[in-house]
Amino acid sequence: MADVLPLVEARLRSALGEPDARAAVTFLGTDRIEVLRFQEAGIVRYASLGMSAHPMTDPTVVVADPVKGPRAELVLSVRAGLAETDKVLRPLAVLAASPQVEGLVVAPGASLDVGEPLWPGAPFTSVLVAEPGGLVEDLELDEPLDPVRFLPLLPMTPNEAAWKRVHGAQALQEKWLNSGTDLRDPSRKSVPLE
């Protein structure tokens, strides 16, 4: 069976261009997770590389299937030059390692929390996992492997995260849309929640 990660990196490059930086993080008991940085027209994108090497497995399953199961990578987009967003590399790698470390299945609508600001001075400690397919198309793999999905991450303030737990991801996304929220602004304030 072919290694998935070179195919994933090729898909990221074809969608986002050449990365201008990359960093690698290894956590005890996990495979290496890389974070690639892409810059284009005032937007910087950070993409994980390594999360899709193995399928995500439901933690309630007694024996994990080493082949079948959802695969994903994470993509975070922010406006360049407004904050020290390059410090997001480690928190993003932590999120990408969560399926291996915590047995999470990361899917659209989920909240992921790192418990600290995503970068110095960031008003966000968590992200909302959005629907894939807009920025980077799914990568189809040979049967029986599931495709790799590239999941956009939308930073949430603690108030937004709490509101989302009560009202749901769709309701929060509608609040953002109705308020004209710039989700790429690395220092934006919380959307008005009533």
Side-chain angles (χ1 to χ4, degrees):
M1 185 179 318
D3 186 7
V4 171
L5 297 183
L7 302 173
V8 170
E9 184 169 354
R11 175 57 54 94
L12 286 168
R13 287 172 184 266
S14 68
L16 304 175
E18 286 299 310
D20 65 353
R22 66 192 309 146
V25 180
T26 304
F27 303 99
L28 186 63
T30 68
D31 292 340
R32 174 177 145 137
I33 300 286
E34 287 190 85
V35 177
L36 282 60
R37 183 181 70 188
F38 302 86
Q39 288 200 60
E40 176 192 18
I43 301 293
V44 61
R45 301 185 198 284
Y46 302 95
S48 67
L49 179 63
M51 182 177 168
S52 62
H54 305 285
M56 293 182 277
T57 306
D58 184 329
T60 61
V61 173
V62 177
V63 178
D65 188 322
V67 176
K68 294 191 72 149
R71 294 174 187 260
E73 295 291 353
L74 307 175
V75 181
L76 174 69
S77 300
V78 292
R79 296 204 179 284
L82 301 178
E84 289 184 77
T85 57
D86 280 352
K87 304 282 182 162
V88 78
L89 300 178
R90 184 168 176 75
L92 186 57
V94 167
L95 296 178
S98 61
Q100 288 183 59
V101 175
E102 300 174 34
L104 293 179
V105 176
V106 178
S111 299
L112 302 174
D113 196 318
V114 293
E116 60 186 38
L118 292 175
W119 51 82
F124 319 106
T125 60
S126 62
V127 293
L128 174 65
V129 181
E131 290 291 333
L135 186 61
V136 183
E137 289 183 31
D138 291 354
L139 173 63
E140 296 295 330
L141 301 173
D142 294 336
E143 290 290 334
L145 303 180
D146 287 22
V148 176
R149 302 170 84 198
F150 297 88
L151 302 171
L153 300 180
L154 308 175
M156 292 188 293
T157 66
N159 285 346
E160 290 169 339
W163 196 87
K164 181 255 176 195
R165 281 192 292 277
V166 174
H167 300 282
Q170 185 64 38
L172 178 59
Q173 288 178 305
E174 287 173 13
K175 279 271 187 207
W176 284 335
L177 186 62
N178 293 338
S179 297
T181 306
D182 180 2
L183 295 173
R184 294 178 178 165
D185 180 349
S187 56
R188 73 173 179 82
K189 304 289 184 230
S190 182
V191 71
L193 303 166
E194 66 277 337

